[in-house]
Amino acid sequence: MIEKAKGIVSATKGKMADAVKFLEEDLKTYRAGKANPLIFNNVMVDYYGSPMPIPQVASITTPDAKTIMIQPWEKNMIPKIEKAIMDANVGLTPQNNGEAIRCTVPPLTEERRKELIKKAKNAGENAKVVVRNARRDAIDQLKKLIKEGLPEDVEKDDEGLVQKETDAAVKKVDEIIAAKEKDILTV
């Protein structure tokens, strides 16, 4: 019974870590005024009939802080990648020189910065909701184990561990959002 309770605490810790990791990955795709090849991770291009993310059909480099170069492995992919970038509405205009696609990252307007901060805070709130839901589910499962014979003091201890993990995950989410906000505001 005690092992079952420890398993619940462990699984909850994993769910909370996944929520934080997802938030970090999501925030990497935000264009914050600096060239970041990760913004193309979710841009799909038609590759012989199947949708593929751009990084799987081309190499993406940043020759300088304001430029992203996309070098397709097959030249016939250039127009398709160009169209995918335009359709994805990532705020970049691709320029094709016949060999590669160059995207110049424009500086962010004040309005766009505020929009990105709002979007980042919203993503942070969503991550916190996932963390709190994991806590609630774990506590519900622990309470059910009392009916199956788990001692109440063990349940209370495990509930305390779950709360500790929740607090740590929420703190980490706040730190990630604060760092991203600082990054967005840096001109």
Side-chain angles (χ1 to χ4, degrees):
M1 203 52 61
I2 292 174
E3 289 78 33
K4 221 178 197 183
K6 296 295 176 214
I8 291 170
V9 172
S10 178
T12 302
K13 187 177 181 179
K15 286 178 189 171
M16 290 178 183
D18 289 348
V20 171
K21 191 171 179 62
F22 179 82
L23 175 67
E24 286 175 323
E25 292 301 313
D26 184 40
L27 292 179
K28 285 179 185 174
T29 64
Y30 289 23
R31 188 175 61 80
K34 290 187 279 304
N36 181 354
L38 297 175
I39 65 171
F40 294 116
N41 283 0
N42 299 328
V43 178
M44 297 301 202
V45 63
D46 178 42
Y47 185 71
Y48 297 106
S50 21
M52 293 273 207
I54 290 178
Q56 289 186 9
V57 297
S59 69
I60 303 174
T61 56
T62 52
D64 60 60
K66 296 286 180 198
T67 310
I68 301 174
M69 285 288 282
I70 303 170
Q71 182 76 51
W73 292 312
E74 299 173 27
K75 279 195 175 139
N76 66 333
M77 290 303 295
I78 291 176
K80 291 178 180 180
I81 292 173
E82 241 181 330
K83 183 179 178 344
I85 293 169
M86 295 299 279
D87 292 347
N89 197 17
V90 288
L92 299 174
T93 307
Q95 295 150 351
N96 166 5
N97 67 7
E99 295 288 315
I101 298 169
R102 179 184 304 269
C103 294
T104 305
V105 180
L108 291 177
T109 62
E110 192 60 35
E111 185 181 310
R112 180 73 176 135
R113 286 179 200 280
K114 287 178 182 168
E115 216 175 275
L116 278 175
I117 289 170
K118 190 175 174 184
K119 189 176 170 189
K121 284 182 177 177
N122 198 13
E125 268 316 304
N126 289 343
K128 287 180 189 179
V129 166
V130 170
V131 166
R132 290 187 197 113
N133 284 345
R135 176 190 65 193
R136 188 196 61 228
D137 293 347
I139 290 173
D140 288 350
Q141 288 176 326
L142 289 169
K143 288 197 185 308
K144 283 181 189 163
L145 285 181
I146 289 177
K147 292 178 185 146
E148 294 177 24
L150 181 73
E152 277 189 42
D153 59 334
V154 173
E155 187 269 341
K156 286 292 175 206
D157 290 347
D158 288 345
E159 211 174 287
L161 290 173
V162 168
Q163 186 59 49
K164 220 185 252 179
E165 290 300 328
T166 303
D167 295 342
V170 167
K171 184 175 184 241
K172 181 83 173 136
V173 166
D174 287 337
E175 289 168 1
I176 292 167
I177 295 301
K180 190 63 180 180
E181 194 173 334
K182 185 178 177 224
D183 183 39
I184 291 169
L185 291 173
T186 305
V187 181

